[in-house]
Amino acid sequence: MKRVVKRRIRDGVLYAVLAGVIIAAIAFADWGTIHSNFFNWGIVKQLWPDLVTTAAVNTIKYTAIAFAGGLVLALVLALMRLSPIPPYRWISTVYIEVFRGLPALVTIILFGFGFSLAFGWNPPGGVVGAGLLALVVTYSAYMAETLRAGLQAVPAGQLEAARSLGMGGLHTMASVQLPQAIRIVIPPLTNEFVLLLKDTALISVLGMQYNQVDLTQFGRNNLTTYVSPTPLIAIAAVYLVISIPLTQLVAWLERRQQRAVAR
C-alpha cells in the first residue's frame, strides 16, 4: 500500500474518532444542568454592569499601571546590565535572577504583608498598591531581559556610524539604539502585557474592597453569593474578550517583523 494511501486512511480514522467523541459528548451531556449551572443568564444580568464598569476597568487599570512602571524600571535594569561598570552589572544581574526565580504570588505576599510586619511600613495605595508594586518589581525583571536583547540586536555598525558623526554615547542610545530596540521587542512586550493582565488576579490574595476588585476577585465573590460557577464563566469571557485581540496583535506584529527581516 502506498504511503499516500496509508496517510489518508490514518487521517480518516482520526477524523472519525474525533467526530465520534463530539457526537457522544453532545448526545450524552445534560444540557439543562450545564445551562442552569454554568450559563445562567439570570445571574449574568445581576452581575451587569459591575462586571465591566468595576471589575474589568480595575483589571485593565492595574495592568496598565504595573506595565508602565515595570517598563521604566526594566529599561534602567537593562542599561545597568549592559553597563561597562561591573557593580552596576552585578546589581542588575542579581535583581533580575532573584525576581525571575521567585513566584509572583510570593513577591505579592511579601510586599503586602512582609514589609509591614518587618518594618511597620505599607506601600502607598494600601493592599492594591502593594500588589501593584510587587508586579512592577516582578515584571521589570522579565522585561529587562527582553529590552537587553533588543538593545544588543541593533547592528553595531549603526552605533559606530552614529559615533563617527560626533554623537555621544547617551545621544546614540536615545536617538539610534533605543528606538530600534523598542521596535524589535514590541511583540514580546505585548506578550508580557497579556501575561500581566492575567497575573493581576494574584493581587486578590491580599484582600480588596468592593470598588477595588479585579475580574478574578469579582468572580470569586459572586461565586459564593450565587453558589453557581456562572460568575466564573462570565469573567472568563471578559478575560478572553480583552486578551484574544492582544494575542492576535502579537502574532501580527511577529509576522510583520519577520517580513521586514526577510527583506
Side-chain angles (χ1 to χ4, degrees), residues 40 80 82 141 149 181 198 258:
N40 190 322
M80 290 175 64
L82 297 173
K198 293 178 286 188
Q258 288 171 358

Side-chain angles (χ1 to χ4, degrees), residues 100-111:
R100 288 177 69 193
L102 288 175
L105 183 59
V106 172
T107 307
I108 288 172
I109 294 173
L110 176 64
F111 275 74

Side-chain angles (χ1 to χ4, degrees), residues 7-123:
R7 186 173 68 250
R8 289 177 179 175
I9 293 174
R10 181 199 62 196
D11 292 347
V13 171
L14 292 175
Y15 278 119
V17 170
L18 178 61
V21 171
I22 294 174
I23 292 171
I26 294 174
F28 293 104
D30 187 346
W31 291 105
T33 301
I34 292 173
H35 179 270
S36 62
N37 286 327
F38 291 90
F39 301 98
N40 190 322
W41 299 114
I43 294 177
V44 174
K45 290 179 181 178
Q46 296 295 321
L47 302 178
W48 195 267
D50 289 349
L51 173 63
V52 174
T53 59
T54 299
V57 168
N58 282 341
T59 296
I60 295 172
K61 180 172 67 175
Y62 297 158
T63 305
I65 293 172
F67 184 81
L71 186 60
V72 172
L73 183 55
L75 179 58
V76 175
L77 291 168
L79 294 176
M80 290 175 64
R81 189 80 184 264
L82 297 173
S83 172
I85 304 174
Y88 283 93
R89 295 200 305 272
W90 300 336
I91 293 170
S92 177
T93 300
V94 170
Y95 178 101
I96 290 170
E97 294 303 323
V98 166
F99 286 105
R100 288 177 69 193
L102 288 175
L105 183 59
V106 172
T107 307
I108 288 172
I109 294 173
L110 176 64
F111 275 74
F113 301 113
F115 285 121
S116 61
L117 292 174
F119 305 109
W121 174 79
N122 292 310

